[in-house]
Amino acid sequence: MTQRIVTGALMLIALTGLMLLGGWYFAVGALIAVTLCIYEELRALRAHGHHPVAWTSYAALYISAPLMMYFSSVVIIPTLSIVSFCVLLVVMRRDEPTLTDVMVSILPMLTLVLPGMCLFGILDTPLRRMQAMLLTLVFAIAVGGDTFALFVGTWIGGKKLCPRISPHKTVSGAIGGLLGSVLMAWLVGYLFMRYLPTQAFPPMWSILALGLIGGIAAQMGDLFASMVKRHCVIKDFGNL
């Protein structure tokens, strides 16, 4: 628990600095983080005997960053379509092509590159205050939900949520996590509206809805990461 708190505090300081700088400073930080995530997921899949095409995930990430920063978020669809076509081409030309290798090659693009692209899409928001609020919501909803889920689940316990995937997660923890995500979304919305007043901010009800949807997505992402680790028979993706 102490290690989690210390690590979280250090990451929060680094994240706050990048968000204050914004623009390409944040984009570079996001690129490094997503690159590390791609590396760890591909490493886990290879360790389990799969043969994913690696370069396509990195190419999609590094091509999309400047295109989305300088042009439009519309590039998400053609970029992912082209690199997915490349995956098919590379795998089908192998001596022993398998459908599994196609699927594990596309997996990092859907689970890591696409969310990374969405971060770059937020950076394309013209109003700096709106950009700052949206980026804050991304992390506040996820971290708030994870923190509340941990404490509520440990305190109340009870029925397991998905015992075959993650034996320690409980239904009470999941509910607490959703409440935490909504609460953090409200807090972020309140602080921005209170101290940085502007007509650009969306209404509070939409921010609360975003907290709920984001909380559900964050927990499903956490469970999916556990599913990948269980499939690859590893405890953690990496020491970092």
Side-chain angles (χ1 to χ4, degrees):
M1 180 66 71
T2 302
Q3 184 181 12
R4 282 192 177 192
I5 294 173
V6 172
T7 303
L10 293 175
M11 291 180 67
L12 179 61
I13 294 172
L15 177 61
T16 302
L18 288 174
M19 290 176 61
L20 289 173
L21 293 171
W24 271 106
Y25 293 100
F26 181 87
V28 170
L31 278 172
I32 294 173
V34 179
T35 298
L36 290 172
C37 291
I38 294 172
Y39 170 79
E40 291 293 352
E41 187 168 84
L42 290 173
R43 185 177 67 87
L45 292 169
R46 288 196 193 96
H48 194 61
H50 297 300
H51 301 89
V53 181
W55 67 266
T56 49
S57 294
Y58 295 112
L61 178 66
Y62 281 84
I63 289 173
S64 65
L67 289 178
M68 294 184 69
M69 291 285 288
Y70 288 117
F71 294 101
S72 169
S73 300
V74 176
V75 302
I76 289 178
I77 296 176
T79 300
L80 289 180
S81 298
I82 292 171
V83 294
S84 296
F85 178 82
C86 292
V87 167
L88 290 174
L89 183 63
V90 171
V91 174
M92 288 190 295
R93 286 179 54 83
R94 289 177 175 175
D95 294 334
E96 297 183 7
T98 66
L99 183 60
T100 302
D101 284 344
V102 173
M103 293 187 291
V104 296
S105 300
I106 293 178
L107 185 66
M109 290 192 288
L110 295 179
T111 60
L112 299 172
V113 176
L114 181 57
M117 288 178 166
C118 292
L119 284 177
F120 303 139
I122 292 177
L123 293 175
D124 188 45
T125 305
L127 296 175
R128 185 70 181 88
R129 292 179 178 180
M130 175 66 83
Q131 181 185 123
M133 187 184 75
L134 292 175
L135 287 174
T136 304
L137 282 170
V138 168
F139 297 99
I141 290 171
V143 175
D146 189 51
T147 303
F148 273 72
L150 175 64
F151 284 105
V152 173
T154 303
W155 177 43
I156 298 178
K159 185 178 180 180
K160 302 299 182 182
L161 182 64
C162 296
R164 296 295 297 272
I165 298 176
S166 184
H168 299 297
K169 288 182 172 59
T170 61
V171 174
S172 63
I175 296 173
L178 288 179
L179 292 175
S181 293
V182 173
L183 178 61
M184 292 302 295
W186 172 84
L187 180 61
V188 170
Y190 171 78
L191 291 176
F192 271 84
M193 292 178 184
R194 176 70 174 81
Y195 295 103
L196 294 173
T198 173
Q199 294 181 350
F201 292 142
M204 182 59 75
W205 68 264
S206 63
I207 295 177
L208 296 177
L210 186 62
L212 178 62
I213 296 171
I216 294 172
Q219 292 195 39
M220 289 190 67
D222 194 18
L223 287 170
F224 180 75
S226 296
M227 183 183 290
V228 173
K229 288 189 290 185
R230 185 167 291 272
H231 171 78
C232 296
V233 196
I234 59 173
K235 186 178 185 298
D236 295 301
F237 279 112
N239 293 329
L240 181 61

